[in-house]
Amino acid sequence: MGRPTKKTKQQAEDKWKGKKVEGAPEVPKRQFPQGSREPMFVEYYSQCLASCFRDEKDLESFRKTLNEPLPACFRLNGAMANFESVAHVLQDCAEKCNTEGESALELRKIEWYPNDLVWQLNLGRVELKQEKFRAFHRLLIRATEAGLLSRQELVSMIPPLLLDVKSTDRILDLCAAPGSKTTQILEFFQFAGKEAKDLALTPGGVVANELEFTRAWILSHQVSRVAVPNVLVTNHQGQFFPLLSSPQGEKLFFDKVLADVPCSGDAAIRKMPDRYRTWSPMDGVHMRPLQLSLLLRSISVTKPGGLIVYSTCSFNPLENEAVVAEAIRRANYAAPGSLELLDIHQILKGPIMRPGMTHWPVLLYSEDEQKLQQGDYFVEQNYEVLKASDKPYVKKATRRSLFPPSLQEMTEQVKIQYTARLFPQDQNSGGFYIALLKKHTDSPSLHFPVGEYQPKNKNHTKVETEETEKIAEYKRC
């Protein structure tokens, strides 16, 4: 990799000032990329999430909020000495940036986050680059580089909170890059270990894993800003993450696992407006097998009595409730009661969270040209129709577990209402989905393959048939 070219002083000034047109506002209104699928996106989730919205006014607020800039947010490093003074310095700098009689830049403390560590601005990251906020933005960057704070989206700070980190915990962050949640866990770990004379001698630690090599380097840089020795960065496929062993050969299971899995990212559309251009209703269908594999592996490497947090920045129930419900069904197939959901709404008070969905439609593009012209883009599907589709990619991706089980099973056995959905209009944030699971015992059914089962023993037809039928019943997909 070559050395990046140095920017001249004029180029740096142009970056801050940007291109200005005489008579135009300082921050132009948001423009969607050419070929935007925003109408289709809104129509899809108006139907798919219909049971989540309270009324038409709530739905309209959802649509409006998606097109507003996402407010910037940062978290102070509570393990640092005198971290309160950092907040005071930032507040003083913000006041100096505001002109007389105008309060354009404001900092708001997030009350539900412990120890007054999280602050939210009333401006987005693009607006912060205006000339009049230049001093504040530079101070924010320097404080980040020094490890005094981390810039992170508000709702993405919730999953590490649910882990309830102790200094003796062995924690796995399965899909860790770029590292904002990992650093948050490390800060909790450092804060919890203050009583220990030497944190390096405690049995706890954090393993941060990332599949992509370049992102693993970014992750390494992020965790280096937090002065905690008990961290290991690995570069491995999450769905095949191996069990670690002690020097004596003993297998080491994790006390807690965070599975913030790869997803379609459509709930982060306020931060990434280009997502409108590439979005497709098939995104959730294609992402689901990987997400299920990652969640099942997270459960497998967790010790009995341990916790697993599953989260996505997606609105799609196929990536959220469908994955969690299928994982619980698979775990409890051979060992009933081995895995259960914990009620997030009772554990964490403060953020506005809505219960998980008990039912949802599976929607695909309508093939009726007349309906498409009228703006009726999607049609609800069922399993039999999709499995008989003449489109190979649709047929291959179709599983029964895409469709919700009965209402009774979802509410009484799975208890999907214990999971949490966060919507952007509720607290001026991005969207998020979170599930907190507790593993009581190990389950043999978790070790069955996620893909199609192919018996290897060709000499024992009877055993082969019985095992195939058993796994086919267990998988139901």
Side-chain angles (χ1 to χ4, degrees):
M1 184 182 293
R3 178 178 291 183
T5 56
K6 255 188 175 180
K7 290 185 178 179
T8 64
K9 184 177 179 181
Q10 185 60 45
Q11 287 174 327
E13 292 292 331
D14 291 342
K15 180 182 176 182
W16 280 100
K17 294 180 180 179
K19 295 180 180 180
K20 295 184 180 180
V21 181
E22 190 175 355
E26 192 161 7
V27 178
K29 289 185 178 180
R30 183 175 185 170
Q31 299 293 328
F32 293 109
Q34 189 175 4
S36 172
R37 299 181 183 179
E38 183 194 1
M40 296 182 184
F41 179 91
V42 172
E43 178 62 26
Y44 179 86
Y45 281 117
S46 297
Q47 297 181 43
C48 193
L49 304 179
S51 62
C52 292
F53 299 119
R54 303 183 186 95
D55 47 34
E56 190 63 33
K57 186 178 179 181
D58 189 30
L59 174 58
E60 186 58 35
S61 178
F62 170 74
R63 293 171 177 168
K64 181 181 177 182
T65 309
L66 288 178
N67 294 331
E68 296 175 353
L70 181 67
C73 190
F74 63 87
R75 183 188 71 256
L76 301 175
N77 185 355
M80 291 284 187
N82 302 321
F83 67 87
E84 299 94 342
S85 61
V86 179
H88 294 315
V89 171
L90 288 169
Q91 284 178 310
D92 292 341
C93 185
E95 290 175 4
K96 291 177 182 177
C97 290
N98 294 328
T99 57
E100 293 184 6
E102 181 186 1
S103 181
L105 179 60
E106 297 176 358
L107 275 73
R108 180 175 69 91
K109 182 170 63 179
I110 302 301
E111 301 292 343
W112 52 261
Y113 198 93
N115 302 320
D116 301 335
L117 294 176
V118 175
W119 296 75
Q120 189 179 43
L121 307 178
N122 63 329
L123 302 176
R125 56 182 180 178
V126 175
E127 294 168 301
L128 275 177
K129 293 181 180 180
Q130 296 180 66
E131 180 67 24
K132 59 182 177 180
F133 303 133
R134 180 176 180 176
F136 180 84
H137 190 242
R138 278 188 169 179
L139 180 61
L140 209 59
I141 292 172
R142 288 171 182 170
T144 304
E145 292 172 348
L148 299 174
L149 59 85
S150 298
R151 299 171 70 179
Q152 186 179 351
E153 217 276 291
L154 178 62
V155 290
S156 74
M157 299 185 197
I158 296 177
L161 268 180
L162 296 171
L163 290 175
D164 189 25
V165 177
K166 311 293 183 187
S167 61
T168 56
D169 286 339
R170 294 191 186 111
I171 301 173
L172 170 64
D173 190 351
L174 192 62
C175 311
S180 55
K181 295 181 183 66
T182 309
T183 55
Q184 189 180 356
I185 294 172
L186 289 173
E187 288 165 12
F188 286 143
F189 194 84
Q190 188 177 18
F191 194 76
K194 276 188 174 181
E195 296 179 0
K197 293 182 180 179
D198 189 351
L199 192 60
L201 298 178
T202 63
V206 180
V207 176
N209 179 65
E210 173 54 38
L211 170 62
E212 293 185 16
F213 183 74
T214 52
R215 286 168 60 85
W217 272 108
I218 297 172
L219 173 63
S220 300
H221 173 72
Q222 285 283 77
V223 299
S224 67
R225 296 189 297 106
V226 184
V228 177
N230 305 39
V231 59
L232 172 68
V233 176
T234 59
N235 178 217
H236 205 283
Q237 286 182 294
Q239 63 269 42
F240 305 116
F241 192 83
L243 277 176
L244 304 181
S245 300
S246 68
Q248 293 76 30
E250 178 189 359
K251 290 184 178 179
L252 301 177
F253 289 86
F254 293 95
D255 298 283
K256 292 156 187 177
V257 177
L258 173 60
D260 185 47
V261 299
C263 62
S264 60
D266 53 24
I269 211 155
R270 295 181 68 183
K271 185 169 62 176
M272 302 180 296
D274 282 354
R275 191 70 187 86
Y276 276 127
R277 182 170 49 84
T278 59
W279 176 85
S280 166
M282 288 297 291
D283 288 346
V285 178
H286 294 318
M287 293 298 301
R288 180 194 152 279
L290 173 61
Q291 293 163 338
L292 180 58
S293 300
L294 290 167
L295 179 55
L296 291 176
R297 190 56 188 163
S298 300
I299 300 166
S300 296
V301 299
T302 304
K303 73 177 187 180
L307 299 177
I308 304 101
V309 174
Y310 175 84
S311 62
T312 72
C313 54
S314 170
F315 291 125
N316 202 325
L318 304 184
E319 302 178 65
N320 300 328
E321 288 88 351
V323 172
V324 172
E326 180 63 9
I328 291 175
R329 188 189 67 79
R330 292 193 182 197
N332 293 340
Y333 174 79
S338 63
L339 187 69
E340 69 165 345
L341 280 169
L342 300 183
D343 193 349
I344 295 177
H345 307 273
Q346 295 298 323
I347 295 171
L348 182 62
K349 303 288 186 180
I352 303 172
M353 300 183 290
R354 306 191 188 193
M357 300 172 64
T358 55
H359 60 279
W360 58 86
V362 177
L363 304 173
L364 292 180
Y365 281 126
S366 173
E367 296 183 2
D368 189 330
E369 291 295 334
Q370 186 176 359
K371 288 185 176 181
L372 287 172
Q373 292 176 2
Q374 295 172 354
D376 191 2
Y377 301 109
F378 304 101
V379 59
E380 186 172 349
Q381 306 288 340
N382 59 57
Y383 175 75
E384 286 73 19
V385 172
L386 290 182
K387 204 63 180 174
S389 173
D390 56 352
K391 298 178 178 178
Y393 69 92
V394 173
K395 188 175 182 179
K396 184 178 180 180
T398 301
R399 297 287 186 273
R400 283 196 182 276
S401 55
L402 288 172
F403 300 85
S406 65
L407 180 62
Q408 183 179 2
E409 182 179 344
M410 288 293 279
T411 55
E412 297 179 10
Q413 297 179 27
V414 178
K415 297 182 180 177
I416 203 69
Q417 66 274 15
Y418 287 177
T419 64
R421 280 183 165 271
L422 293 102
F423 283 87
Q425 70 271 26
D426 289 339
Q427 48 213 342
N428 196 14
S429 65
F432 226 72
Y433 176 82
I434 312 170
L436 177 62
L437 303 105
K438 184 171 185 178
K439 178 180 177 179
H440 293 289
T441 59
D442 196 17
S443 174
S445 55
L446 283 177
H447 306 295
F448 291 164
V450 175
E452 295 295 336
Y453 177 72
Q454 295 178 351
K456 295 180 180 179
N457 191 344
K458 297 182 180 179
N459 299 322
H460 298 82
T461 309
K462 186 176 180 180
V463 176
E464 185 178 296
T465 305
E466 289 177 356
E467 191 174 1
T468 304
E469 290 176 354
K470 179 180 179 181
I471 293 181
E473 178 191 353
Y474 139 76
K475 287 179 62 180
R476 201 187 62 185
C477 66

